[in-house]
């Protein structure tokens, strides 16, 4: 969260990686914070990668990280990817019910 406010998406990603290497259990909140930090920089691709990893580990739908990824894609002018991701997630969420 502090990395997001400071525009330090690289540090947020680094912290997440360090936590994984230290075998700290990562949860959906940790991933969401790192994804949110990616909203305010040139890191839309990183946000998609993190969201993809998170979706496998935590399949229960959540609009918060998805919204952050879409915002990151908007910042990076990656609208086509954002629309494809949204379509894919909506279809996945339907199959979970």
């Amino acid at each position: 969260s502090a990395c997001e406010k400071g525009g330090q998406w690289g540090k947020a990603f680094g912290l997440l990686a360090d936590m994984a290497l230290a075998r700290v259990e990562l949860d959906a909140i940790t991933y969401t914070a790192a994804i949110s930090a990616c909203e305010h920089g040139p890191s839309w691709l990183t946000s998609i990668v993190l969201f993809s990893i998170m979706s496998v580990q935590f399949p229960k739908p959540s609009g918060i990280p998805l919204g952050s990824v879409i915002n990151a894609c908007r910042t990076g002018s990656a609208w086509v990817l954002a629309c494809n991701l949204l379509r894919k997630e909506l279809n996945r969420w339907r199959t979970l019910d």
Side-chain angles (χ1 to χ4, degrees), residues 7-40:
Q8 299 294 319
W9 67 270
K11 285 188 181 185
F13 186 73
L15 284 170
L16 194 71
D18 289 345
M19 290 172 69
L21 287 173
R23 300 192 190 281
V24 173
E25 186 174 339
L26 303 176
D27 60 14
I29 294 170
T30 309
Y31 277 103
T32 299
I35 291 168
S36 294
C38 294
E39 280 186 71
H40 307 290

Side-chain angles (χ1 to χ4, degrees), residues 41-70:
S43 54
W44 56 269
L45 187 56
T46 302
S47 71
I48 290 174
V49 170
L50 291 174
F51 184 80
S52 296
I53 294 167
M54 182 183 140
S55 295
V56 170
Q57 293 183 357
F58 307 99
K60 184 177 177 184
S62 176
I64 295 170
L66 179 59
S68 293
V69 171
I70 290 171

Side-chain angles (χ1 to χ4, degrees), residues 58-93:
F58 307 99
K60 184 177 177 184
S62 176
I64 295 170
L66 179 59
S68 293
V69 171
I70 290 171
N71 277 334
C73 289
R74 177 187 54 85
T75 302
S77 297
W79 280 109
V80 173
L81 287 174
C83 289
N84 288 339
L85 179 64
L86 180 59
R87 186 178 308 109
K88 176 185 162 203
E89 282 303 299
L90 289 174
N91 288 333
R92 185 177 73 84
W93 292 357

